[in-house]
Amino acid sequence: MKLLILGGTAWLGHEVARQAVDRGHDVTCLARGYSGSIPEGASLIQSDRDEDQGLEPVATFQWDAVLDVSRQPGQVKRAVRDLRTARYYLFVSSGNAYASQGPLGQDEDAPLLPPLESDVMETMESYGQAKVACEQAVTEGFGSENCMIARVGLIGGPGDIFGRTGYWPLRFAHPSVANGTVLIPNAPALPTQVIDVRDLAAWLVHSCEKQLSGVYNAMGETQTFEEHLAAARTAARHEGQVVTADAEWLHSHGVGEWAGPKSLPLWLSNPDWHGMNARSNKRAKDAGLALRPLEETLNATLKWEEESGIDRPRRAGLTNEEEAELLTELVSTMH
């Protein structure tokens, strides 16, 4: 298969390119080349998709499949315009495209946000609307039978530079305090849903090979936060105590949710967001998506985190100092 990846230097695109090369495909990546290198065996064409003629270097080839991970509607509209001779187009969208993130168990037929009217997504506030606009451009340009929309949930595994799936196994493996106690939010029933980047990439390559059409939630299995933390503890061989704090206490001490600095990753206290990690993945699994156990993902993520340096700055979670300080205060209120 002659596969064009629009990207291929960042985390997911790189993994797709690597697996496609391993499966014997002819892989070309079109990217600016700022995010990193492409895998060995793939070809790189350096170009900027923000320019109107940015796809000119690849527009004359006959591609069996194009894979696109963009969030910018203008980039996707130009790609659809310039790559009309491609046989198949796979667009990687997001669960953020859905209008509501509250209800549990929603499938691909749930209502979407209105599409972004601008060709440029200026801030992450309009990320979901931008992805909807991208989806529409692909479907209108290629026809629903010649394209696939993969709405992806939280991606995890080795290479997670965002720190959302690496924080917990790393924290349990390297507690901030000598007695091994770890601080967790009191949210045992909170849904979590992680897809391993390697499983997602494998299925995207498979979908290009089979030229699968339709819309799919490309997401992991939904597990409770309690189950997720148990898998992280097992991966880390943690035998210390865990101390729980409720949302009100954590918020009053400036602890954030989901991601970012001074946060407890994956934690969401507002039920209006719980459905984000509890979407149906049945359609994708019926179409060949194979998912490894969460513990295996967290094991590999921990290994990658440790190899990358446990003291490097991270995009999510509490620093050792922040967690130790919070634990000292929390434990003192218990006595």
Side-chain angles (χ1 to χ4, degrees):
M1 165 176 76
K2 204 168 175 58
L3 172 65
L4 173 63
I5 298 176
L6 300 176
T9 57
W11 187 30
L12 174 61
H14 186 279
E15 183 63 18
V16 171
R18 186 189 69 76
Q19 293 202 30
V21 167
D22 285 352
R23 290 172 73 95
H25 299 302
D26 180 353
V27 179
T28 299
C29 301
L30 182 134
R32 291 175 302 178
Y34 300 161
S35 301
S37 59
I38 61 166
E40 191 177 336
S43 305
L44 173 66
I45 294 178
Q46 282 188 283
S47 191
D48 188 346
R49 293 182 66 185
D50 285 332
E51 295 174 8
D52 188 60
Q53 300 304 316
L55 293 179
E56 208 169 59
V58 294
T60 56
F61 294 95
Q62 179 68 58
W63 303 103
D64 293 310
V66 175
L67 184 135
D68 191 355
V69 297
S70 179
R71 62 182 63 171
Q72 296 292 356
Q75 289 185 352
V76 176
K77 289 172 187 173
R78 288 188 291 275
V80 169
R81 177 195 72 190
D82 295 344
L83 301 171
R84 282 294 170 89
T85 58
R87 291 175 55 203
Y88 174 80
Y89 202 107
L90 195 162
F91 181 68
V92 178
S93 188
S94 166
N96 291 79
Y98 290 107
S100 174
Q101 301 293 345
L104 309 185
Q106 288 189 104
D107 66 12
E108 292 83 352
D109 299 324
L112 301 178
L113 292 166
L116 187 69
E117 292 180 10
S118 168
D119 278 354
V120 178
M121 183 195 84
E122 302 282 2
T123 72
M124 287 301 288
E125 296 297 310
S126 56
Y127 176 67
Q129 292 93 325
K131 283 290 196 181
V132 174
C134 295
E135 288 186 17
Q136 289 189 359
V138 172
T139 305
E140 288 167 11
F142 275 81
S144 55
E145 67 283 356
N146 297 314
C147 70
M148 179 177 126
I149 307 296
R151 294 188 186 127
V152 176
L154 177 63
I155 305 172
D160 180 6
I161 59 169
F162 306 102
R164 290 172 296 199
T165 57
Y167 175 78
W168 290 110
L170 187 70
R171 172 54 71 217
F172 284 123
H174 302 277
S176 65
V177 293
N179 67 2
T181 301
V182 170
L183 174 67
I184 65 169
N186 185 16
L190 170 72
T192 66
Q193 190 170 29
V194 175
I195 186 165
D196 191 297
V197 66
R198 298 164 294 178
D199 297 339
L200 175 58
W203 185 65
L204 294 176
V205 174
H206 166 80
S207 299
C208 288
E209 291 168 346
K210 301 294 183 189
Q211 308 226 322
L212 295 180
S213 60
V215 180
Y216 300 88
N217 287 334
M219 303 179 182
E221 302 289 16
T222 295
Q223 295 177 278
T224 66
F225 195 56
E226 187 172 50
E227 290 168 333
H228 186 101
L229 293 183
R233 288 187 77 190
T234 301
R237 298 182 174 84
H238 178 256
E239 294 178 354
Q241 281 190 304
V242 294
V243 173
T244 59
D246 62 29
E248 187 181 0
W249 190 91
L250 290 167
H251 289 150
S252 71
H253 287 78
V255 178
E257 301 181 18
W258 186 245
K262 200 177 180 181
S263 69
L264 288 174
L266 310 189
W267 171 48
L268 293 165
S269 64
N270 185 345
D272 290 347
W273 287 96
H274 287 187
M276 180 175 80
N277 295 305
R279 294 196 176 277
S280 170
N281 61 5
K282 182 181 186 304
R283 190 184 295 182
K285 289 200 297 183
D286 288 347
L289 173 63
L291 301 168
R292 72 191 68 208
L294 176 62
E295 193 183 311
E296 192 180 315
T297 297
L298 297 183
N299 254 318
T301 312
L302 173 59
K303 185 168 182 274
W304 175 81
E305 285 278 8
E306 290 177 333
E307 288 170 354
S308 303
I310 62 172
D311 295 322
R312 66 182 169 84
R314 287 187 159 68
R315 296 194 193 183
L318 301 174
T319 64
N320 284 343
E321 294 75 19
E322 286 167 347
E323 197 207 27
E325 197 175 302
L326 289 165
L327 279 170
T328 298
E329 186 166 341
L330 186 61
V331 171
S332 71
T333 64
M334 294 175 173
H335 299 303

